[in-house]
Amino acid sequence: MADIRSLDIALLRGFDALMRERSVSRAAKQLFLSQPATSALLARLREVFADPLFVRTAAGVAPTARAEALAEPVRRVLADLQALLEPPGGFDAARSKRVFHIASTDYMAATLLGPLAARLGEQAGGVQLAQVTPDVTSLVARMTAGDVDAALMVRGLTPRGLRAAPLFDEDFVFAFAHGHPLAARRRLSAADMAAAPQLFIAPREVGSAASREAAFSGRADQALQALGLRRFVQLSVPNFSAAVDVIERSQLAAVLPRRVAAAAAARIASRELPFEMSGFTMEWVLHPRAEHDPGLAWLREEVLTAWRGLTAPARKIPASPKHSRGAFHGHGRPRRQDLDGR
């Protein structure tokens, strides 16, 4: 039986890096070691665990069954060791050097990243934050692996196996350039809205005939059609950053989330929609093991504070379900609610 004294933190970190990267050279870069030093570390791991652990492939290395079984326990041990470094009583943001990876759509980039970065600079100068692309199909695996710490997602899209708590509600406004003819009006009618050439945010790949049609129409079209009206969507873009840029530089208007428009108020104008259209709820999503992580609890509060600082209080959302702020829950039945006003 192997002696526990033969195992140290450097070996566990090396094992974790090899599991994540599946490459000795890439793991070496992550560990700030030379490739020979990382190869020597792998040799020590093989000796300690009496298993090859990683076998060479054309693309790098692949874990053995023994390595796959060790992966989650090793990550838990490393997480527990990291927690030991936190001061008693919780997370000390001013002293922390922690790196957080948050999965989120460009809604976060368009609204929260600016004020959040300002707060980090003032209160947590050593903390690093990376926004990563949210892939629902791989999110559970990425959170289990520790590659993603938390996710900011639309309610109803949380994959099975993760925990979610509501953060805030959002609704929609009608946005256009400051020099647009509609900017002179305080209130808009549905006819005013339908008459304006528009752009549409469609964050999906266009392939089939159905998806090609969906690139130009959504829930706002359904609301207008119920009133006997139609709009002309001239341009479809994949994200809010492109939408704001086009709106500012053209005569195209768009239905945008209220706080996306508010964050870009210096560049574009907005008015209330002339009809009721349900909004959406953003949720804070974690792996079950991270529910009581003090660092993530701190980051969640920072996200909420940044959101509260945005100067556009949303109207009550008619179709928003009743929920208790901050209470985590398992995944519900998925309900597709689009951020672009479909």
Side-chain angles (χ1 to χ4, degrees), residues 173-251:
V173 295
F174 194 53
F176 36 78
H178 285 295
H180 195 283
L182 293 179
R185 304 185 187 185
R186 295 184 61 185
R187 293 185 178 182
L188 303 179
S189 68
D192 292 333
M193 177 179 170
Q198 294 176 41
L199 70 81
F200 184 71
I201 300 91
R204 293 172 174 79
E205 293 184 3
V206 176
S208 66
S211 64
R212 288 173 66 86
E213 182 179 348
F216 290 95
S217 65
R219 286 192 287 131
D221 296 273
Q222 296 169 9
L224 287 171
Q225 288 170 12
L227 298 172
L229 299 168
R230 293 180 60 117
R231 65 173 177 171
F232 173 61
V233 176
Q234 190 166 45
L235 182 66
S236 175
V237 297
N239 55 59
F240 296 126
S241 297
V244 170
D245 190 58
V246 170
I247 293 169
E248 180 186 25
R249 296 166 181 266
S250 73
Q251 291 296 294

Side-chain angles (χ1 to χ4, degrees), residues 246-323:
V246 170
I247 293 169
E248 180 186 25
R249 296 166 181 266
S250 73
Q251 291 296 294
L252 295 182
V255 176
L256 292 181
R258 183 179 295 269
R259 285 173 179 79
V260 172
R267 303 172 60 190
I268 61 176
S270 65
R271 299 289 185 272
E272 297 292 337
L273 291 178
F275 47 75
E276 289 291 338
M277 190 170 79
S278 62
F280 56 91
T281 298
M282 296 301 293
E283 292 188 319
W284 183 251
V285 180
L286 299 175
H287 191 279
R289 69 164 181 263
E291 283 188 62
H292 304 292
D293 183 315
L296 289 173
W298 168 82
L299 183 59
R300 178 181 179 275
E301 288 306 310
E302 290 301 305
V303 169
L304 272 173
T305 300
W307 174 78
R308 293 187 189 109
L310 296 174
T311 56
R315 298 174 300 169
K316 183 178 179 181
I317 302 174
S320 180
K322 293 181 179 179
H323 50 251

Side-chain angles (χ1 to χ4, degrees), residues 3-21 27 30-31 33 38 40-42 44-46 48-49 53-54 66-67 69-82 84 145:
D3 190 334
I4 193 172
R5 290 175 296 181
S6 63
L7 192 61
D8 58 36
I9 295 175
L11 284 179
L12 294 179
R13 291 184 64 245
F15 174 87
D16 187 56
L18 287 163
M19 278 298 298
R20 293 173 188 272
E21 301 297 337
Q30 184 182 121
L31 295 166
L33 296 175
T38 306
L41 185 148
L42 176 55
R44 288 180 58 200
L45 282 167
R46 286 168 169 164
V48 169
F49 289 104
L53 295 178
F54 299 92
R66 173 73 166 141
L70 287 168
E72 182 60 21
V74 167
R75 291 186 187 111
R76 286 200 301 268
V77 169
L78 290 173
D80 289 343
L81 289 171
Q82 178 66 44
L84 290 176

